[in-house]
Amino acid sequence: MISRFAQGLGRILGRSGPPQDEGEGGSISAWLRVACLAALAMFVTVPIDAASIRGVEIVGDSITLRFDGPVERASVFTLDGPRRIAIDIVGAHAGSGGKAGGYVAAVRQAQFNPDTARVVLDLNGPALVRNGGFSTDGRSLVIEVAGATEAAFARSIDAKRKAFLPPVAVRAAAPKRADRSAVRVPLERAGSSNGPPLPPVTGAKGTGRPLVVIDAGHGGHDPGSMATDGRKEKDAALAIALAIRDALVDSGRVKVAMTRDRDRFLVLGERREIARRLGADLFISVHADSAPNSAARGATIYTLSEVASDRVAAAVAARENRADVLNGVNLGGENEDVSSILFDLAQRETMNISADFATLLQREMAAKVPFKNEYHRFAGLIVLKAPDVPSVLLETGYISNEEDAKLLFSKSYQRDVAEGVRRAIELHFARRLASN
Ligand code: ZN
């Protein structure tokens, strides 16, 4: 049920005001608050004499936005499920609508926050922005779109926004705005010690015991995929993650920490950073898969690679990586193209250990847990990108399949998964100890 969540995002995309708390019971984690503020800090101006969007015209592949005064800047990005191109204009008030044409099935406008108008173009096929720019008087922004392959469109979801600035003279003439720097909250730097509080470590006592971080996927406003009866991936993931923790604690051979032990939202990078800051020796992210084909069943293990092993893996990466996007704002700040990251030697070593663990994990789980034939896949999953912590993402079955969904929510299957994971973890560390 990829699209249900995505459509939910779509519905709230055009809502005015800053990103709202979609979390349960109105409780929003401090981290999400910081992330939201940091995202908002991109828009640090207050409109005094903001320009208005006077019209959106589409002629062929060319989309023209007209303003009745100078605006500050614009940026363009793509969203999936349904496919959209969004244009944020800082220093502008939203107008209303616009006439569809070409690749654009519908035009919507809304005030994204007090400073920023958002124009959303609903696409009738995969299309991408190829080019664009402001006119010399700064009163119009022209954007050229062109048809794209499904794969290229999917890749664009995680790409950086394309930014457009009006000519310098026009910007200088734009009305001065008050600085709202009080809300500037810098995002935590990777590896810094002053992040959100770290979760408690349980399990084996004493020094020298390896630490495993168990990550229950999704949570809070992000339900993940959904079963036909409405049950949510985030709940299955949490129940299975807790079962794994309990199995490891009972066995007492390793230390354990959870990225979340209740229904709350964490951005993907934060999950990974918890493992890094704790100095974890292994990171396991627990999820449940979904597919348009309701007959698809079985578990899969993902490890990180520069390129996805196949289209299914690429689609899973796109879906799981989208967890960071709320109201069209990338809370995780993970804009870089995964494929363009330079994987250094340390990361390659980590990737090899992760892949070895994936093999062991399948072997130890397989007696009780049905796997897909191609059980080990590779993809550019944000949550797995710690360069120094071997990491796997375990799709424990298809929540979109009725039989698998029954298993995922059953205590006995959760225990079977947990026992298999525990055995694999303990063997993994025993092997590493022996080889050192
Ligand atoms: Zn998931």
Side-chain angles (χ1 to χ4, degrees), residues 84-342:
R84 286 153 292 162
I85 291 172
I87 309 161
D88 278 354
I89 304 105
V90 180
H93 287 311
S96 61
K99 227 175 140 239
Y103 292 104
V104 179
V107 181
R108 292 177 286 137
Q109 295 188 34
Q111 200 64 28
F112 179 70
N113 70 29
D115 313 315
T116 306
R118 176 167 291 181
V119 176
V120 178
L121 310 171
D122 295 325
L123 301 174
N124 49 29
L128 292 171
V129 172
R130 296 293 176 206
N131 229 322
F134 280 91
S135 59
T136 47
D137 66 357
R139 298 298 174 98
S140 59
L141 170 67
V142 179
I143 286 175
E144 304 285 349
V145 294
T149 61
E150 304 264 352
F153 188 86
R155 278 197 301 275
S156 76
I157 304 299
D158 293 320
K160 272 197 177 102
R161 290 176 179 230
K162 277 192 171 59
F164 301 104
L165 287 172
V168 178
V170 176
R171 266 182 283 154
K176 287 281 164 285
R177 298 152 195 283
D179 188 359
R180 209 197 281 157
S181 54
V183 299
R184 265 181 199 276
V185 182
L187 274 174
E188 181 203 4
R189 277 239 175 73
S192 82
S193 57
N194 52 0
L198 287 168
V201 175
T202 56
K205 299 275 181 294
T207 53
R209 297 301 188 105
L211 171 67
V212 181
V213 169
I214 309 292
D215 172 49
H218 310 277
H221 74 261
D222 171 17
S225 301
M226 269 190 264
T228 47
D229 63 4
R231 287 193 286 183
K232 301 175 180 83
E233 177 189 354
K234 67 173 183 176
D235 298 321
L238 180 59
I240 293 167
L242 287 168
I244 295 170
R245 179 196 66 183
D246 292 348
L248 289 169
V249 168
D250 286 349
S251 177
R253 290 184 173 88
V254 299
K255 294 177 187 292
V256 196
M258 308 272 293
T259 55
R260 69 177 179 99
D261 58 5
R262 59 194 166 83
D263 185 16
R264 73 183 189 103
F265 177 78
L266 286 150
V267 295
L268 296 170
E270 175 59 8
R271 297 167 189 266
R272 185 184 66 205
E273 282 307 306
I274 286 172
R276 295 193 69 197
R277 285 168 57 209
L278 284 173
D281 300 285
L282 192 60
F283 176 86
I284 302 175
S285 189
V286 179
H287 288 256
D289 221 329
S290 79
N293 172 9
S294 63
R297 295 192 65 177
T300 323
I301 302 165
Y302 283 85
T303 57
L304 183 68
S305 94
E306 288 151 279
V307 281
S309 50
D310 52 64
R311 273 182 51 211
V312 176
V316 166
R319 185 175 70 239
E320 300 293 8
N321 288 346
R322 204 179 299 145
D324 276 359
V325 180
L326 173 65
N327 288 12
V329 173
N330 191 333
L331 300 174
E334 300 266 358
N335 288 321
E336 76 268 64
D337 189 347
V338 175
S339 65
S340 72
I341 296 161
L342 282 174

Side-chain angles (χ1 to χ4, degrees), residues 17-61:
Q20 303 289 306
D21 173 22
E22 300 291 320
E24 85 294 355
S27 77
I28 181 168
S29 73
W31 170 243
L32 177 57
R33 210 182 290 270
V34 167
C36 283
L37 286 172
L40 282 174
M42 290 187 293
F43 315 107
V44 289
T45 53
V46 172
I48 295 168
D49 281 318
S52 292
I53 300 172
R54 279 289 169 233
V56 180
E57 292 154 27
I58 301 171
V59 179
D61 298 342

